[in-house]
Amino acid sequence: MMFRKLILLFAFPCIVTALSAQDSLLSYNNSVKYCIKGITVSGIKYLDPAVLISVSGLSVGDTVTVPGDDITKPIRKLWNQGLFTDVKFSVTKIEGSDIYLNIYLQERPRISSVTFSGVRKSQSDDLKELLKLRVGGQITESILENSERLIKKHFREKGYLNTQVDIIQKNDTVIANGVKLIFDIKKNDKVKISDITFEGTKAFKASKLRRKMKKTHRRDFNIFKSSK
């Protein structure tokens, strides 16, 4: 039997097909059913290949149509994990009706260190405890967004309502795929209330309403701690 080695690259959200000049077997005009005889994973350093294959939903022995949704759906499943910056499938070998697949994955960078600028050391220690970012953990958009939200909430509770947080990512030249996370924090001035006025109230006196509002500091949004 003559074996043909063809490479077919699938990238999400687009699909790129690379074929030899004399063979159009895997073109979209000629989708073919194959039985998966082997699945390999490349490009990863820290994750378990067996787990990733399981997440893709593909198994040795499955019948798949190539090209088609049988390949694009597993790509979406892996992409939606949020752990990768690149997901590609390739056909490494075809033997009759048997096909061998490779999954190429580019892992997101990992945290090599976490530092805070613009705040005192004691505040940096508090923020490290608050964020609980693990050295060696992967950096995802949700982790960065949640970290920024927690930092702003932390200082908002102390009266700094206009806190700005810039997240800087610097490649670590010592650790492969490592990134140094730097949180540049500008607390800006505290917000203080100089006076409170009430309009449209007839049933209650302003002095009584002010007394009731003293309990506001029990809430998360405690801007009245520094009020005059």
Side-chain angles (χ1 to χ4, degrees):
M1 180 183 297
M2 180 178 65
F3 299 147
R4 288 173 295 183
K5 295 184 178 180
L6 304 175
I7 301 297
L8 177 63
L9 298 180
F10 301 90
F12 181 82
C14 298
I15 297 178
V16 181
T17 306
L19 299 172
S20 61
Q22 69 273 16
D23 199 322
S24 60
L25 175 64
L26 297 180
S27 70
Y28 267 105
N29 295 325
N30 190 20
S31 295
V32 180
K33 287 186 179 294
Y34 295 97
C35 178
I36 299 176
K37 286 298 183 180
I39 305 174
T40 55
V41 180
S42 61
I44 61 169
K45 296 181 180 179
Y46 304 97
L47 301 175
D48 186 342
V51 172
L52 295 172
I53 292 172
S54 177
V55 170
S56 76
L58 294 174
S59 300
V60 172
D62 287 350
T63 299
V64 293
T65 300
V66 181
D69 288 344
D70 292 337
I71 298 299
T72 55
K73 285 180 180 178
I75 291 175
R76 291 190 183 96
K77 287 181 180 179
L78 290 166
W79 192 267
N80 289 339
Q81 298 300 308
L83 301 176
F84 311 105
T85 58
D86 196 10
V87 179
K88 294 178 182 177
F89 272 54
S90 64
V91 176
T92 56
K93 184 167 59 174
I94 293 177
E95 296 178 345
S97 62
D98 296 336
I99 194 168
Y100 294 79
L101 300 174
N102 179 72
I103 306 172
Y104 171 80
L105 301 167
Q106 178 64 52
E107 296 179 68
R108 288 187 179 276
R110 293 182 176 268
I111 300 171
S112 63
S113 65
V114 179
T115 56
F116 301 87
S117 63
V119 295
R120 299 190 302 273
K121 183 183 182 303
S122 59
Q123 293 175 324
S124 294
D125 294 339
D126 291 341
L127 292 173
K128 284 183 180 179
E129 180 64 26
L130 175 67
L131 300 185
K132 290 181 170 52
L133 293 175
R134 180 174 58 86
V135 171
Q138 284 189 313
I139 301 174
T140 65
E141 289 301 319
S142 61
I143 286 176
L144 297 179
E145 290 172 2
N146 187 57
S147 297
E148 181 179 354
R149 180 183 62 80
L150 288 174
I151 291 172
K152 287 183 175 180
K153 182 176 182 291
H154 174 77
F155 286 108
R156 185 174 68 240
E157 292 175 349
K158 299 179 182 299
Y160 297 95
L161 272 63
N162 298 315
T163 299
Q164 294 175 290
V165 181
D166 291 323
I167 304 176
I168 302 168
Q169 301 182 52
K170 293 182 65 176
N171 291 332
D172 195 317
T173 57
V174 177
I175 301 176
N177 204 36
V179 169
K180 299 177 181 179
L181 276 185
I182 304 169
F183 293 91
D184 184 25
I185 301 169
K186 296 180 179 64
K187 295 187 296 183
N188 296 314
D189 295 334
K190 273 190 175 184
V191 174
K192 296 183 179 181
I193 299 173
S194 61
D195 193 15
I196 302 175
T197 60
F198 301 91
E199 295 181 0
T201 178
K202 295 180 180 180
F204 301 97
K205 292 182 179 180
S207 58
K208 186 175 182 179
L209 290 173
R210 285 194 178 91
R211 286 197 300 272
K212 291 295 183 181
M213 292 182 68
K214 288 181 179 179
K215 296 182 179 180
T216 305
H217 69 276
R218 294 179 181 176
R219 301 177 185 270
D220 289 339
F221 194 67
N222 55 356
I223 62 173
F224 296 100
K225 278 187 175 180
S226 302
S227 62
K228 294 182 181 178

